[in-house]
Amino acid sequence: MRKVLCIVLALGCVTAAWGQKADLRKGNRQFKKEKYAQADISYRKGLMQDTTSVAAHYNLANNLYRQQNLEEAARQLDAVQMTASEEKFAADYYFNRGDVAIALQDWQTAVNMFKESLRLRPEDLQAKENYIYARNKLMEQQNQDQQQDQNQDQDQNQDQNQDQNQDQNQDQNQDQNQDQNQDQQQNKDQDQNQNKDQDQNQNKDQQQQQQPQLSPQQAQQLLQAIQDKEKQTQEKVDEKKAQALKSRQKEKNW
């Protein structure tokens, strides 16, 4: 991949062609001597004199790139993108902006910038190599994003299925618990009824056991006594009826 440095070494010619002012020329001399902090000051002075200067933004961006201040370098180049596209060195501008994008791993911007550079300079092999590299990285990133989206969807579906299964299990457990409680209650009721019947049977057996057992002779005597009692009772009833009839007859005789 061609470095930005290959281009900025020729900035003296570029700035001379663009009629740069004294501050930009001074900045270029400092840049060649790798005095980047001093060159930064010179380029910014030149930029203050003309905020629309493509050369000032372009040179300052290259100096920032050398200092690994990539985001600021990208902002300086983006500030003059519309104007730089009409310049004689537009292909170099797009190439350098593509390099900054690669350093920032902004693959979509890198692809777009190298495509523009190749449109203006189709024979540039380094621009072709960088374009292919950025395009492959972009496709790789898109595939990773797609895979992540699929994994997220799968995770969400799994979470939903787990929630549904948990709800179903809870419902089933509740139903089972209700059934078990009902069965336990029924068994309890049955046990109570059985215990009650057993208690009643036991009481009945105890009563029967407590009752004295009569011999056949005693039973006959008891029966005879009951019959005698009934006979006496009947005789009394008949005697009362007879007296009543007598009374009526007496009254009738009047």
Side-chain angles (χ1 to χ4, degrees):
M1 182 180 70
R2 182 172 60 186
K3 301 294 184 181
V4 174
L5 308 181
C6 297
I7 294 178
V8 295
L9 290 176
L11 285 178
C13 296
V14 174
T15 52
W18 287 347
Q20 289 293 339
K21 296 181 180 180
D23 288 328
L24 297 185
R25 292 195 295 269
K26 182 179 179 181
N28 291 340
R29 290 193 297 270
Q30 293 166 338
F31 181 86
K32 290 179 181 180
K33 295 178 182 179
E34 298 184 358
K35 297 180 180 180
Y36 302 122
Q38 296 176 8
D40 189 271
I41 295 173
S42 298
Y43 289 139
R44 291 184 185 276
K45 285 183 178 179
L47 190 59
M48 289 176 63
Q49 296 176 20
D50 183 4
T51 58
T52 64
S53 171
V54 174
H57 283 286
Y58 180 85
N59 292 354
L60 178 58
N62 292 339
N63 193 62
L64 291 168
Y65 184 95
R66 278 287 188 92
Q67 299 175 83
Q68 294 299 308
N69 191 348
L70 302 175
E71 293 181 355
E72 179 62 22
R75 282 193 289 269
Q76 291 296 329
L77 291 172
D78 289 342
V80 291
Q81 181 173 347
M82 296 299 296
T83 308
S85 62
E86 300 174 358
E87 295 289 335
K88 177 180 179 181
F89 300 98
D92 293 335
Y93 166 85
Y94 285 119
F95 186 98
N96 283 10
R97 183 62 183 90
D99 262 349
V100 174
I102 285 179
L104 291 171
Q105 295 185 358
D106 183 1
W107 308 118
Q108 184 64 68
T109 299
V111 168
N112 295 339
M113 293 298 107
F114 286 116
K115 185 184 294 185
E116 287 298 318
S117 181
L118 286 170
R119 183 178 62 82
L120 297 173
R121 191 184 294 160
E123 70 280 3
D124 191 339
L125 295 180
Q126 288 182 323
K128 288 181 181 179
E129 291 176 358
N130 289 359
Y131 169 75
I132 294 172
Y133 174 78
R135 186 185 62 184
N136 291 339
K137 283 292 186 179
L138 177 62
M139 293 175 62
E140 181 180 335
Q141 183 184 58
Q142 290 173 344
N143 290 335
Q144 289 177 351
D145 292 341
Q146 185 177 4
Q147 185 63 37
Q148 288 179 353
D149 292 339
Q150 291 177 352
N151 292 337
Q152 288 179 353
D153 293 339
Q154 289 178 355
D155 291 340
Q156 289 178 354
N157 292 332
Q158 288 178 353
D159 292 338
Q160 290 177 353
N161 291 333
Q162 287 178 354
D163 292 339
Q164 291 177 354
N165 291 333
Q166 288 179 352
D167 294 338
Q168 290 177 355
N169 291 332
Q170 288 178 353
D171 294 338
Q172 290 177 354
N173 291 333
Q174 289 178 354
D175 294 339
Q176 289 177 355
N177 291 333
Q178 290 178 353
D179 293 339
Q180 289 177 354
N181 292 333
Q182 290 178 354
D183 292 340
Q184 290 176 355
Q185 185 63 37
Q186 289 178 353
N187 293 332
K188 185 177 180 181
D189 294 340
Q190 289 177 355
D191 292 340
Q192 289 178 350
N193 292 332
Q194 288 177 355
N195 293 331
K196 185 176 180 181
D197 293 340
Q198 289 177 355
D199 292 339
Q200 290 178 351
N201 293 332
Q202 288 178 356
N203 292 332
K204 189 180 294 183
D205 293 338
Q206 289 176 358
Q207 291 175 358
Q208 290 177 354
Q209 290 175 0
Q210 291 175 357
Q211 290 179 357
Q213 297 294 329
L214 300 177
S215 65
Q217 185 177 2
Q218 290 175 336
Q220 183 65 32
Q221 291 175 355
L222 181 60
L223 179 60
Q224 186 63 42
I226 293 172
Q227 290 177 350
D228 291 342
K229 187 68 175 177
E230 289 179 352
K231 184 176 180 181
Q232 291 175 1
T233 302
Q234 187 64 39
E235 288 177 353
K236 289 181 180 180
V237 172
D238 292 340
E239 184 177 356
K240 288 181 179 181
K241 287 182 178 180
Q243 291 177 357
L245 289 173
K246 288 180 180 180
S247 176
R248 288 176 186 173
Q249 288 173 353
K250 184 178 180 181
E251 291 175 357
K252 189 179 180 180
N253 290 338
W254 281 9

